[in-house]
Amino acid sequence: ALSFSQSPMLSQNKTVNYVVGGLAIASLALLAYTVTRPTRETKTGKKLKKKKGKNKSSKKDVTTRTFSKKPIDIHLVMENLDGFNAHVAGDKKNAKQQLIYGSRLIKINDKRVDNLAYEEIYELMQKAKFPMSLQFKQFKQLNQEWTKAEKLKEEANNDFKSGNVKLAIEKVSEAIELHPTNKIYYSNRILMHFKL
C-alpha cells in the first residue's frame, strides 16, 4: 500500500506542490465564476419576464448624440447592481450634453449594446471609431427617480456649504436610495461625514 508521502503524484519539492495546488484552486475559482456569472441570455430572459408588455418604446423615446472626438464627457452607470446595461447618470456633465437621466445606451455606431454587460459596453466605447454615434432609449421611471436624486444631491451640497451637515447627509442618503449606482453620491456622503 502506498502512503501519502510516497504518492507518485506529489513532488518531493514542496514549492512545486504549492504552485500546483494554487493553480488548481485558481482554476476551480475561474470555473465557478464562469458557470455562475450572469449572461446576456439569462438577463434578457429576466427582463422579458418582468416587463412583458410594458415600456413599449416609440421613435420619440430614442435620441441620438454624435461625438466627433475623444474624450466623450458623459457619465454612464449601470441601472442596478446586476452588471448589465449603461444608463445616463444623474450628473451635471450629462445635463450639459442635454442627455436625459436614466436613458439606456442601446447603440454605439451601428452596434446594438442593450442587455450587454456594462464592462462589454465600456470596452466597445473605448474601441469605437469616431465620429461616434450613441443612441439612447428613455426610461421614464428612472428619469423621474434620478432627476429627483440629482436635485436632492444639489440641495445636500447647498446645505453642506451652509454648515447644515446632518441635513446634507440625510438628503444625499435619500439620493443614493433613488440612484444607488451613482458613485458621486457616495463620495459626497463620505466627505460630508468627515465634517461631522
Side-chain angles (χ1 to χ4, degrees):
L2 280 176
S3 71
F4 185 73
S5 62
Q6 296 172 334
S7 171
M9 295 298 287
L10 296 175
S11 168
Q12 296 299 323
N13 184 341
K14 284 186 178 181
T15 305
V16 171
N17 288 339
Y18 290 132
V19 169
V20 170
L23 288 173
I25 291 170
S27 297
L28 285 173
L30 180 62
L31 176 64
Y33 169 75
T34 304
V35 170
T36 60
R37 75 183 171 108
T39 62
R40 183 178 359 175
E41 289 78 24
T42 60
K43 173 65 176 176
T44 303
K46 284 182 194 173
K47 284 288 185 191
L48 289 176
K49 288 176 191 168
K50 281 186 357 189
K51 295 189 177 181
K52 197 171 187 178
K54 292 182 184 177
N55 208 9
K56 292 183 180 181
S57 64
S58 65
K59 294 220 183 247
K60 69 178 182 177
D61 292 338
V62 176
T63 57
T64 303
R65 294 286 184 275
T66 302
F67 298 88
S68 57
K69 60 183 177 175
K70 287 186 181 181
I72 297 176
D73 197 20
I74 61 174
H75 180 191
L76 298 175
V77 296
M78 295 178 278
E79 175 181 350
N80 51 45
L81 300 177
D82 68 2
F84 288 89
N85 295 310
H87 287 258
V88 176
D91 190 335
K92 288 179 184 177
K93 288 180 187 181
N94 294 334
K96 192 175 183 180
Q97 294 284 349
Q98 297 178 338
L99 295 171
I100 298 168
Y101 299 159
S103 296
R104 178 183 292 170
L105 179 60
I106 59 173
K107 261 188 179 180
I108 300 172
N109 293 331
D110 292 328
K111 171 91 170 130
R112 289 203 63 86
V113 296
D114 54 334
N115 295 320
L116 290 182
Y118 182 83
E119 291 143 5
E120 280 182 75
I121 296 169
Y122 181 78
E123 287 176 23
L124 288 168
M125 283 187 71
Q126 296 301 312
K127 295 176 184 175
K129 294 184 179 179
F130 282 83
M132 182 190 307
S133 176
L134 302 180
Q135 194 173 68
F136 298 92
K137 178 183 170 191
Q138 292 180 33
F139 281 74
K140 288 183 172 95
Q141 184 175 349
L142 278 182
N143 176 260
Q144 291 169 350
E145 291 171 3
W146 292 6
T147 299
K148 184 176 179 182
E150 184 65 7
K151 183 180 176 197
L152 283 166
K153 183 205 72 165
E154 291 300 321
E155 288 175 12
N157 288 345
N158 290 334
D159 289 336
F160 180 74
K161 288 174 188 171
S162 66
N164 198 344
V165 179
K166 287 185 180 182
L167 182 61
I169 291 172
E170 287 175 22
K171 286 183 179 177
V172 80
S173 294
E174 260 186 85
I176 289 171
E177 286 181 34
L178 291 166
H179 194 347
T181 56
N182 194 331
K183 297 178 202 172
I184 293 171
Y185 298 169
Y186 293 95
S187 300
N188 286 6
R189 185 167 67 178
I190 289 169
L191 292 172
M192 289 172 184
H193 275 287
F194 282 130
K195 291 289 186 174
L196 277 179

